[in-house]
Amino acid sequence: MAVTTVTGAASRETVSWGQIDWRKAYQHVRRLQMRIAKAVREGRWGKVQALQRLLTHSFSGKALAVKRVTENQGKRTPGVDRIIWDTPDKCVRGLLSLKRRGYRPLPLRRVYIPKANSEKLRPLGIPTMKDRAMQALHLLALLPVAETTADPNSYGFRPFRATRDAARQCYIALRGRGTAEWVLDADIAGCFDEISKDWLIANIPTDKAVLRKWLDSGYMQDGDWYATRAGTPQGGIISPTLANMALDGMEKMLRDHYGPRRRNIRTKVHLIRYADDFVVTGASKEVLEEAKSLVEEFLSERGLSLSEEKTRIVRVEEGFDFLGWNVRRYDGHTHIKPAKKNVAAFMRKIRTIIKAAADAKQEHLIMRLNPVIGGWTNYHHNQVAKETFRKVEHLIWKCLWQWACRRHPDKPRRWVKHRYFAREGTRDWVFRAAVKDRAGNITFRRLLHASDVPIRRHCKIRAEANPFNPMWDRYFAARRGLPSETTDRPGETAHSADRQELAALVKQGLVEA
């Protein structure tokens, strides 16, 4: 099916889905995003609105929005209409359907997923493919605004930011003597579900009419329609950015009250936030009690509140869990290690896989375990984790040894050892399997060793760095290890390696979302 493309300048050329020049589309959208960010910095909100409208009506923006929803992890998950765009013709028809006039989103399909390390269920709202594409399109126009106005030490759901940046900033704020002695470990109760719709419509600089339609679309459950009184659906593409923008300003509020970092010597109040999970450092418990009341007042304006069961004030020497890590001070030195709950969840996942593979071939078991081990170690390899990696490797070996012995109860242990484990150089007990390739050559498939993963310290991103400001292009190119003239694809917040690792760990139940 052919369409009329207007990539860049207006054109009457007709192309199919496979003939779209994606490079030009990225460049066109990026130019508009950079102009939006510039207008925000200059305070020209009328121009921001005009440029956003230009982007959301452009062919390039619509094409990239459809491309995103048809290539991400949820591309095969339908909404209430049970429609997915899995062919080029459907993609083209979907692109042509992205029009503001007459647009009415369908209700969300409500499903429930288990929370990590809990028997509770988390509601998930799944929009239709068309509604997801419309959200992705408007997100392209909203993201430059969100990045330009974001809190400096907010790291969740932002391009080039990751959990490792939040952990590093936490270490910087608590790394030695003379830093804060107390921490407010806070969590917002039902952040996505409780945000005030009126506050979002009044304060989010995007198309108000379309935003109101999304927030009022409701959801379907067991064939019945239910209205939504508050919140933004967790399954929506634009929802993380909306939630982030609702929480932006918290750091400025604390800075205005206690003073900037260089003058904040007495109270030592600093905020580090990843989505709705954040910590506030302080010189004393009394200071943090006051900061907590300020945060609660800030959140109440947005219809939010702190979770009583997850929010506490602790000494740094006692330690606290943050994003799957335990932050604690030992003899004046702050260390960030994998949290015990996180390690326990990881080992439960490993044991479940091994137990389910009672009759599987050794090479198939290795194929199932390696991605889990690799993802978990890659998530933690920037922290003080070498000792934990060794411990985990030993526990995995014990599970595999039990698995091998149960398969051959009548065989001597020496035979079982030689059947499943081998010696390679100076290392013994290597869990490996011989596999023949198509040419008949024998290769070995080995289990990943957690202790082999090197520890590499992470260099935190500059707080003021903005991917939509051209003055930072060289900086971001250097962080990616690419030539400075290489441009990043606009708006791909979920495509960084760390975001993929975190999403995989949340899906597996190894990290609390």
Side-chain angles (χ1 to χ4, degrees):
M1 182 177 180
V3 296
T4 301
T5 176
V6 289
T7 304
S11 171
R12 296 182 180 275
E13 182 183 2
T14 59
V15 295
S16 67
W17 179 257
Q19 294 175 334
I20 295 176
D21 190 334
W22 295 110
R23 181 182 177 86
K24 286 186 178 180
Y26 284 124
Q27 292 174 346
H28 178 62
V29 170
R30 179 164 174 78
R31 281 196 298 268
L32 286 174
Q33 289 179 320
M34 292 169 67
R35 292 176 63 190
I36 292 172
K38 181 181 179 182
V40 173
R41 293 193 300 272
E42 296 172 349
R44 302 171 63 185
W45 292 101
K47 187 173 183 179
V48 169
Q49 188 176 6
L51 291 171
Q52 285 181 323
R53 187 181 186 283
L54 185 62
L55 196 159
T56 55
H57 285 72
S58 69
F59 175 87
S60 298
K62 294 177 181 179
L64 291 182
V66 174
K67 182 178 175 66
R68 174 172 180 177
V69 301
T70 55
E71 293 183 357
N72 62 12
Q73 290 185 345
K75 62 183 178 181
R76 301 189 184 279
T77 305
V80 293
D81 59 357
R82 298 293 175 180
I83 294 175
I84 58 174
W85 297 344
D86 53 357
T87 66
D89 284 347
K90 291 180 180 179
C91 291
V92 169
R93 287 196 292 269
L95 188 154
L96 294 174
S97 69
L98 300 184
K99 297 179 180 179
R100 184 181 185 277
R101 179 175 295 180
Y103 170 66
R104 294 190 64 180
L106 292 176
L108 306 169
R109 182 163 69 90
R110 174 62 63 91
V111 297
Y112 292 89
I113 59 174
K115 290 187 176 182
N117 308 324
S118 175
E119 296 181 357
K120 297 180 181 179
L121 296 176
R122 172 183 287 113
L124 190 67
I126 303 176
T128 63
M129 292 293 288
K130 178 179 177 180
D131 294 334
R132 270 178 266 175
M134 282 292 286
Q135 290 187 19
L137 175 60
H138 285 264
L139 178 60
L140 290 173
L142 181 61
L143 204 55
V145 182
E147 279 300 297
T148 307
T149 59
D151 283 346
N153 289 304
S154 165
Y155 301 98
F157 305 118
R158 297 181 61 191
F160 298 100
R161 265 80 173 174
T163 53
R164 62 189 67 156
D165 292 300
R168 188 64 182 174
Q169 180 60 27
C170 199
Y171 172 78
I172 292 172
L174 302 170
R175 61 181 160 189
R177 292 183 174 88
T179 56
E181 299 290 334
W182 292 79
V183 167
L184 169 64
D185 180 16
D187 187 86
I188 300 173
C191 179
F192 283 85
D193 300 324
E194 300 298 331
I195 300 176
S196 169
K197 292 195 295 185
D198 293 336
W199 190 94
L200 289 174
I201 293 169
N203 293 275
I204 300 299
T206 188
D207 192 314
K208 308 291 185 181
V210 176
L211 177 59
R212 183 180 290 278
K213 289 178 181 179
W214 286 332
L215 298 177
D216 292 338
S217 63
Y219 63 91
M220 297 293 294
Q221 184 175 336
D222 299 328
D224 297 324
W225 180 83
Y226 296 89
T228 50
R229 60 175 181 80
T232 178
Q234 291 197 37
I237 288 179
I238 202 171
S239 296
T241 301
L242 294 178
N244 235 2
M245 296 186 74
L247 298 177
D248 282 334
M250 190 187 305
E251 185 174 356
K252 182 180 183 300
M253 178 268 298
L254 292 174
R255 187 172 61 247
D256 291 344
H257 189 271
Y258 292 103
R261 182 181 182 87
R262 293 181 181 177
R263 295 188 220 163
N264 192 3
I265 300 175
R266 184 178 60 85
T267 57
K268 301 173 184 175
V269 173
H270 307 294
L271 179 138
I272 304 102
R273 180 169 66 85
Y274 188 92
D276 61 337
D277 196 1
F278 64 92
V279 296
V280 181
T281 66
S284 66
K285 187 174 182 179
E286 291 72 24
V287 169
L288 289 182
E289 289 286 0
E290 182 188 28
K292 181 181 176 182
S293 63
L294 291 173
V295 170
E296 288 175 333
E297 182 180 350
F298 174 89
L299 295 176
S300 64
E301 297 176 3
R302 293 150 175 81
L304 300 172
S305 61
L306 294 177
S307 171
E308 293 184 4
E309 60 182 37
K310 295 183 179 180
T311 300
R312 62 195 187 114
I313 298 176
V314 296
R315 291 186 65 89
V316 181
E317 284 75 12
E318 297 177 39
F320 60 95
D321 289 351
F322 185 53
L323 301 175
W325 294 299
N326 180 262
V327 184
R328 186 176 176 182
R329 185 173 294 158
Y330 302 83
D331 298 326
H333 300 281
T334 301
H335 290 172
I336 301 179
K337 303 179 180 181
K340 290 182 179 179
K341 290 182 180 179
N342 187 271
V343 176
F346 170 70
M347 287 309 304
R348 281 197 300 270
K349 180 72 174 179
I350 293 293
R351 293 187 183 102
T352 301
I353 294 174
I354 295 175
K355 186 176 181 180
D359 299 327
K361 292 183 178 180
Q362 185 181 7
E363 57 266 29
H364 294 163
L365 176 58
I366 294 173
M367 290 175 62
R368 294 175 193 174
L369 289 175
N370 278 351
V372 179
I373 297 172
W376 186 81
T377 52
N378 284 338
Y379 184 76
H380 292 289
H381 80 284
N382 296 116
Q383 315 305 332
V384 184
K386 183 59 76 174
E387 182 180 344
T388 305
F389 287 173
R390 292 195 190 100
K391 176 184 175 182
V392 161
E393 184 175 306
H394 177 68
L395 294 175
I396 294 174
W397 171 84
K398 289 178 66 176
C399 295
L400 293 174
W401 177 244
Q402 293 173 359
W403 173 85
C405 291
R406 282 197 302 266
R407 289 166 69 93
H408 306 281
D410 299 329
K411 294 289 186 180
R413 295 296 183 259
R414 185 179 296 273
W415 183 93
V416 175
K417 192 266 185 185
H418 287 294
R419 170 69 176 78
Y420 293 101
F421 299 88
R423 174 182 287 275
E424 292 185 353
T426 59
R427 169 173 276 171
D428 203 359
W429 295 93
V430 176
F431 192 71
R432 74 178 190 184
V435 181
K436 277 189 178 181
D437 59 17
R438 293 182 178 180
N441 300 320
I442 296 178
T443 57
F444 290 100
R445 186 168 290 156
R446 298 169 179 82
L447 184 75
L448 288 177
H449 290 270
S451 62
D452 288 346
V453 177
I455 302 299
R456 292 195 177 100
R457 296 291 173 249
H458 176 63
C459 180
K460 188 184 78 71
I461 191 170
R462 295 274 294 275
E464 65 273 20
N466 186 343
F468 301 107
N469 187 338
M471 68 173 289
W472 290 101
D473 284 350
R474 289 182 179 272
Y475 173 77
F476 285 112
R479 286 184 67 86
R480 295 196 308 271
L482 299 176
S484 59
E485 60 269 14
T486 302
T487 59
D488 185 59
R489 295 180 176 185
E492 292 195 336
T493 60
H495 286 238
S496 70
D498 192 81
R499 290 284 297 125
Q500 289 181 354
E501 291 168 13
L502 180 61
L505 292 172
V506 170
K507 186 176 181 180
Q508 296 168 10
L510 303 181
V511 173
E512 178 71 35

